[in-house]
Amino acid sequence: MYQTVDVIGAGLAGTECALQLADRGVRVRLHEGRPARMSPAHRTDRFAELVCSNSLKSTKPETAAGVLKWELDAMGCRLLPMARSCSVPAGGALAVDREEFSRVVTEEAMAHPLVEVVREEVTQIPAGPSVIAAGPLCSDALFEAISRAVGEESMSFFDAAAPIVSAESIDGSIAFSQSRYEEGGAGDYLNCPMERDEYDAFVDALLSAERVISRDFEQADLFCACQPIEEVARTGHDSIRFGALKPVGLTNPMTGRRPWAAVQLRAENAQRSAYNLVGFQTNLTWPEQRRVFRMIPGLGRAEFLRYGVMHRNSFVDSPHALDATFAIPGTNARLAGQITGTEGYVEAMASGLLAALNTYAHLAHLPYPRLPATGALGSLVAYATDPATVGYQPMHVNFGLVPPLEDAPRRKDDRRRRMAERARADMGAFVADRHDLFADARQVPAQ
């Protein structure tokens, strides 16, 4: 029997982690501050409460979300089967009755003989082995304790992220490669040029678009941290043309002259398969982002890998503050869930499972698991632990993070299908090779 592990936070990541450790014979103290200390977003004291959407995204096998679910089944995820048992009709997505799902997860965790539930707020990092899965609304006291351990420069209190689009969805006949004042092209940025009428129409749409109505806990100091592009535009019709969309130093090769305005796109990874809309932090709703930002020349058919978000979201600069197992150097604690910058419900389950595997490997003196980077989870972990990652922001699984295929098919659907097949094959081989970690995991599902 191994020493007791403290798991802080009974959300998706924390509950998955606690059950995985307990299933491997590890005693767990699962700490949950509710109901004594409620967060602004939660309504109940139950575990794994879904506070936003009730959708766990696509189940289609050729999507990144579908691949992630397959990988979790292969690794013996505990919460995903519970979600399916509480599912409601949602077409090609997995959606749940949130009340029933939370009830089932809570009962499962509380009934496990090796899980002790402790209803108290944790304000310090435990001295012994622990997993902190406190979520993006981590309490101020614990947030400060983590900040002291990793350094204040490695913590973010607000998530002000610009949208990311798939490179293959950008119209290369319009967008051109060039850095400001560079001659000859082939620069570090892609540029989407706007003529005056296009700019005027874009600003009008931006100012009239529907915005997210923030809760009080999302509003404090928000605009001091980073102005949403629509708020900058409100200060004057040409304000963003002299800011994020300034065209100075650029020459449109199609016209031979400087555009009226230009949206710059910056590569999000070394493969240049995903691009960030520079300066486009926004509080627009997701449907409005899709509508308005597709007005940008070159982005008319843009596929959004991540929409812009702007709300309270405590997270750590994981690539630079944590080690490859998401542990805080110099402590016995590792982080899991959205506080590491892995975003999404199923991603939180996956992060909790991985935290359990890493913690168990440490306690049992086993090699740490190294997930295949060709998979949905492995590529997300590679992104979140790569010191070369610059300007780290929360991210969910997407094919833009996956290494490109050799001899990739021309059609996008064929590429996605091949990527999904490769991911399933590599994860299946990984699970089979690490029998020491997965001896009790369910049989790898059929491909």
Side-chain angles (χ1 to χ4, degrees):
M1 190 68 67
Y2 303 104
Q3 63 188 112
T4 300
V5 173
D6 288 288
V7 176
I8 302 168
L12 294 164
T15 310
E16 177 71 32
C17 180
L19 289 172
Q20 291 288 342
L21 286 170
D23 285 349
R24 288 166 171 78
V26 179
R27 290 192 175 276
V28 175
R29 277 190 298 263
L30 179 58
H31 300 261
E32 175 52 57
R34 294 174 291 131
R37 190 174 182 87
M38 297 292 289
S39 84
H42 290 89
R43 296 188 303 106
T44 77
D45 63 352
R46 289 177 176 171
F47 302 165
E49 180 182 343
L50 306 185
V51 299
C52 297
S53 167
N54 70 328
S55 174
L56 276 63
K57 298 183 181 177
S58 178
T59 59
K60 296 179 180 179
E62 70 278 7
T63 65
V67 171
L68 178 61
K69 291 179 179 63
W70 189 95
E71 292 176 345
L72 290 185
D73 284 335
M75 291 191 289
C77 178
R78 292 295 309 274
L79 265 61
L80 195 53
M82 298 183 209
R84 293 192 181 104
S85 74
C86 304
S87 64
V88 296
L94 172 60
V96 301
D97 178 326
R98 68 178 77 222
E99 300 289 341
E100 180 67 7
F101 174 64
S102 185
R103 182 189 66 78
V104 169
V105 173
T106 303
E107 290 180 356
E108 185 76 12
M110 296 188 72
H112 201 296
L114 294 183
V115 176
E116 174 192 0
V117 175
V118 182
R119 295 281 188 174
E120 66 176 15
E121 179 187 6
V122 176
T123 60
Q124 298 292 331
I125 299 174
S130 61
V131 174
I132 300 174
L137 296 178
C138 178
S139 71
D140 292 346
L142 184 56
F143 183 86
E144 291 175 3
I146 298 171
S147 181
R148 288 194 296 272
V150 301
E152 292 184 1
E153 70 281 358
S154 295
M155 300 293 287
S156 295
F157 199 61
F158 289 102
D159 184 356
I164 293 176
V165 298
S166 166
E168 62 186 9
S169 69
I170 301 169
D171 189 341
S173 69
I174 298 175
F176 60 91
S177 176
Q178 191 180 115
S179 296
R180 288 192 173 97
Y181 300 108
E182 177 194 51
E183 296 182 2
D188 293 333
Y189 293 86
L190 288 181
N191 302 273
C192 298
M194 286 184 172
E195 295 303 319
R196 185 169 188 169
D197 59 337
E198 294 171 325
Y199 175 82
D200 291 342
F202 174 74
V203 171
D204 289 344
L206 187 63
L207 294 177
S208 62
E210 182 181 358
R211 292 173 293 164
V212 175
I213 304 300
S214 300
R215 296 173 182 260
D216 290 343
F217 70 88
E218 292 177 336
Q219 292 174 346
D221 299 328
L222 181 58
F223 299 131
C224 295
C226 189
Q227 287 261 328
I229 190 166
E230 63 271 13
E231 294 301 321
V232 177
R234 263 175 236 291
T235 65
H237 187 79
D238 285 324
S239 56
I240 59 174
R241 194 167 71 87
F242 292 102
L245 275 66
K246 63 179 180 288
V248 295
L250 297 174
T251 301
N252 185 347
M254 299 297 293
T255 65
R257 55 183 173 80
R258 187 173 76 181
W260 183 255
V263 175
Q264 288 206 304
L265 310 179
R266 181 178 56 237
E268 191 68 18
N269 53 23
Q271 295 82 19
R272 294 180 177 265
S273 60
Y275 280 82
N276 183 298
L277 276 66
V278 178
F280 270 64
Q281 294 87 355
T282 181
N283 207 28
L284 300 187
T285 64
W286 289 3
E288 289 289 73
Q289 289 185 47
R290 186 166 55 248
R291 178 182 70 85
V292 176
F293 296 158
R294 279 181 173 174
M295 294 175 65
I296 298 170
L299 300 185
R301 297 178 179 271
E303 177 187 355
F304 290 85
L305 301 178
R306 182 188 71 192
Y307 289 101
V309 291
M310 196 158 224
H311 53 77
R312 172 172 172 174
N313 189 359
S314 305
F315 68 95
V316 175
D317 183 9
S318 295
H320 307 105
L322 307 178
D323 70 14
T325 71
F326 294 96
I328 302 174
T331 75
N332 289 311
R334 57 178 37 87
L335 304 186
Q338 286 185 265
I339 199 168
T340 67
T342 53
E343 191 170 72
Y345 287 153
V346 183
E347 288 86 342
M349 298 178 193
S351 180
L353 197 165
L354 181 60
L357 295 179
N358 279 318
T359 301
Y360 177 75
H362 175 76
L363 295 174
H365 305 291
L366 299 172
Y368 288 117
R370 296 186 63 181
L371 300 177
T374 52
L377 180 56
S379 62
L380 180 63
V381 169
Y383 167 79
T385 57
D386 183 359
T389 299
V390 178
Y392 184 64
Q393 288 286 346
M395 182 73 77
H396 55 74
V397 295
N398 63 81
F399 282 125
L401 298 176
V402 177
L405 295 163
E406 295 183 6
D407 301 321
R410 294 186 61 182
R411 292 183 67 251
K412 181 174 71 174
D413 290 347
D414 292 337
R415 287 197 299 276
R416 298 284 170 88
R417 178 179 51 78
R418 285 265 306 275
M419 284 182 170
E421 291 171 351
R422 180 182 63 177
R424 291 192 291 269
D426 289 352
M427 176 57 79
F430 166 74
V431 172
D433 186 58
R434 290 306 306 268
H435 187 266
D436 52 348
L437 292 178
F438 297 106
D440 297 324
R442 70 179 64 182
Q443 182 178 358
V444 175
Q447 296 186 36

